[in-house]
Amino acid sequence: MQKIIAANWKMYKTRPEAAQTARELAGALASGLPDGRSVVIFPSFTNISEVADVFVANARVAVGGQNVYPEAEGAFTGEVSVAMLKDAGASWVLTGHSERRHVLGEGDGLVARKTAFALAHSLNVMLCIGETLQEREAGKLNDVLLRQVTTAFAGLPADQLEGRFAVAYEPVWAIGTGKVAGPAEVLDAHAVTRAIICDVAGQIGKKIPLLYGGSVKPDNAAALLGLDNVDGLLVGGASLAAQSFIQIVKA
Ligand code: PEP
């Protein structure tokens, strides 16, 4: 399976800054991406077209939105539609990111609606899941993964997921904290997640890329990518500077 290296730029960068970082990335990738790697960049909404323009001729670098609303259009102030994302040049969208779940209060039901709506309207989806420290310490890791995956998969067309859907396991306690999950924790959570996905989606579950995210840096990327069931990385802080993201892409 191809390894997907994804960049979540969160609420950082003005348009000139985003364009500059995108050009630096494009320059560093001019000689080609390493074999078996592809890249997805998730800039803020206002920067999607800027970044997409830079990579328009590079089929292995895609651009995505960090959020989407599960209606075609309407009175949903502050939200963004699938059509708007696609028009700006996005082919992917993140759903269920921990900052949306825990800072902005999104529940599993809304995450599921966003996931299903985006897939049904031709966006590829990267669904984020993961437990808080409290949940891990209370021994609830498997329950949380089961609940988040099962709710998001309910009603998804399993036969249409290949190449269009990825799951990112991001333990909330490792996001932006500098605390990367250890190899045993990543192996365990990814094995559990893979088993749940295969249970709910059938054979196709083996082909759904399972990314790890949470304080990925150039110096831990290669080790993480070498673990079983780790089909890529979702990178926040270390994706903001082109140099460190390129090191991760090439790790
Ligand atoms: C993220 O935003 O998805 C993320 C994993 O952030 P960081 O790499 O900064 O922990």
Side-chain angles (χ1 to χ4, degrees), residues 8 10 97 99 170 174-177 213-217 234-238:
N8 174 16
K10 308 188 191 231
H97 190 276
E99 287 147 20
E170 300 204 301
I175 299 182
T177 59
S215 295
V216 174
K217 302 279 182 275
L234 176 53
V235 188

Side-chain angles (χ1 to χ4, degrees), residues 72-144:
E73 61 182 0
F76 304 105
T77 302
E79 293 297 321
V80 70
S81 72
V82 167
M84 291 166 186
L85 291 176
K86 290 203 292 198
D87 178 54
S91 52
W92 281 83
V93 68
L94 281 178
T95 59
H97 190 276
S98 75
E99 287 147 20
R100 302 236 30 116
R101 291 180 191 266
H102 299 290
V103 181
L104 294 149
E106 282 187 17
D108 290 324
L110 182 54
V111 173
R113 281 176 57 213
K114 291 180 176 196
T115 302
F117 192 89
L119 279 167
H121 294 86
S122 321
L123 273 182
N124 301 339
V125 173
M126 189 173 291
L127 166 74
C128 303
I129 57 169
E131 82 290 4
T132 63
L133 188 57
Q134 260 181 332
E135 289 166 334
R136 173 170 280 269
E137 287 177 348
K140 292 186 180 155
L141 170 66
N142 292 7
D143 292 346
V144 172

Side-chain angles (χ1 to χ4, degrees), residues 10 67 69 73 89 117 137 147 161 170 180 243:
K10 308 188 191 231
N67 185 27
Y69 196 74
E73 61 182 0
F117 192 89
E137 287 177 348
R147 193 197 72 231
L161 297 181
E170 300 204 301
V180 66
Q243 275 319 308

Side-chain angles (χ1 to χ4, degrees), residues 131 133 136 141 169-175 177-191 211-216 219-230 233:
E131 82 290 4
L133 188 57
R136 173 170 280 269
L141 170 66
Y169 167 65
E170 300 204 301
V172 179
W173 47 272
I175 299 182
T177 59
K179 284 185 207 157
V180 66
E185 291 162 325
V186 177
L187 279 170
D188 174 50
H190 278 233
L211 283 67
Y212 168 79
S215 295
V216 174
D219 60 2
N220 58 26
L224 287 161
L225 284 170
L227 296 173
D228 270 359
N229 277 316
V230 175
L233 301 169

